[in-house]
Amino acid sequence: MTLTTLELQNGPQPQASLIILHGLGADGEDFIPVCRALQLPDVGDLRFVLPSAPEMPVSVNGGCAMALMTGLRCRHRLGALVGLSGYLPLLETTATQRHPTNQSTPIFLAHGDQDDVVPMARGIQSRNHLLSLGYPVTWQDYPIDHTLCLEEVDDLSRWLNQHLASI
């Protein structure tokens, strides 16, 4: 099985990479407009990595789930974690399996209050669990379903500028 990966750059000399994982029913190409819409003047040149995972119905919004689950357990220091319209799987094991390297990694979570794919209650539960473990979480919700809106992309741009500019 081959994993197709798209790579984009917003400048000639990327100093960091933003890996964007999608959920079931999407692919890397779906997020090209999001990469282009992000306004990141304080961050500098970035490489956007957009893998297209094969369609295997084993997880709902696997992008957010994978980012949070693996990011919190990663032994390498990450600049930030972002989860959109998703949740943290395996809540009950996160406290014992997390790696201390990313305890202070900033986390941006956003969710639509009309999401019928991943109910917002799942996102709120994930947010509350992360806060109880001492993670620095920023939460935003929007009057949308399981999608992205321009306000969300703008909020994410501001947040990334704030948290990645010093890396």
Side-chain angles (χ1 to χ4, degrees):
M1 188 176 328
T2 303
L3 180 68
T4 303
T5 303
L6 300 171
E7 289 190 22
L8 309 170
Q9 294 180 187
N10 68 351
Q13 297 180 336
Q15 299 300 307
S17 295
L18 184 63
I19 303 168
I20 300 176
L21 303 175
H22 63 83
L24 186 63
D27 64 28
E29 288 190 25
D30 293 336
F31 288 89
I32 291 173
V34 175
C35 295
R36 292 186 175 139
L38 289 170
Q39 300 297 312
L40 304 170
D42 299 335
V43 176
D45 294 350
L46 284 176
R47 175 179 295 108
F48 298 92
V49 181
L50 304 126
S52 289
E55 291 293 323
M56 299 179 70
V58 296
S59 174
V60 174
N61 200 336
C64 176
M66 288 299 294
L68 293 175
M69 189 175 75
T70 60
L72 299 175
R73 290 161 172 79
C74 184
R75 64 183 174 91
H76 302 287
R77 174 78 173 113
L78 302 174
L81 291 168
V82 175
L84 307 176
S85 300
Y87 65 98
L88 172 64
L90 304 174
L91 289 174
E92 65 282 353
T93 63
T94 301
T96 58
Q97 293 181 352
R98 63 188 171 151
H99 198 282
T101 299
N102 286 303
Q103 178 64 47
S104 62
T105 298
I107 301 170
F108 180 93
L109 298 177
H111 218 103
D113 65 4
Q114 300 163 37
D115 192 331
D116 61 350
V117 177
V118 178
M120 193 164 81
R122 255 343 261 278
I124 290 171
Q125 179 186 31
S126 299
R127 175 201 65 192
N128 292 344
H129 189 69
L130 291 169
L131 288 170
S132 77
L133 295 174
Y135 287 98
V137 178
T138 298
W139 171 267
Q140 298 288 335
D141 54 70
Y142 306 92
I144 57 173
D145 58 12
H146 192 75
T147 189
L148 292 169
C149 65
L150 185 55
E151 181 183 1
E152 185 175 10
V153 174
D154 290 344
D155 288 343
L156 179 57
S157 292
R158 279 189 290 281
W159 187 87
L160 289 169
N161 277 309
Q162 177 186 354
H163 291 283
L164 298 183
S166 62
I167 294 179

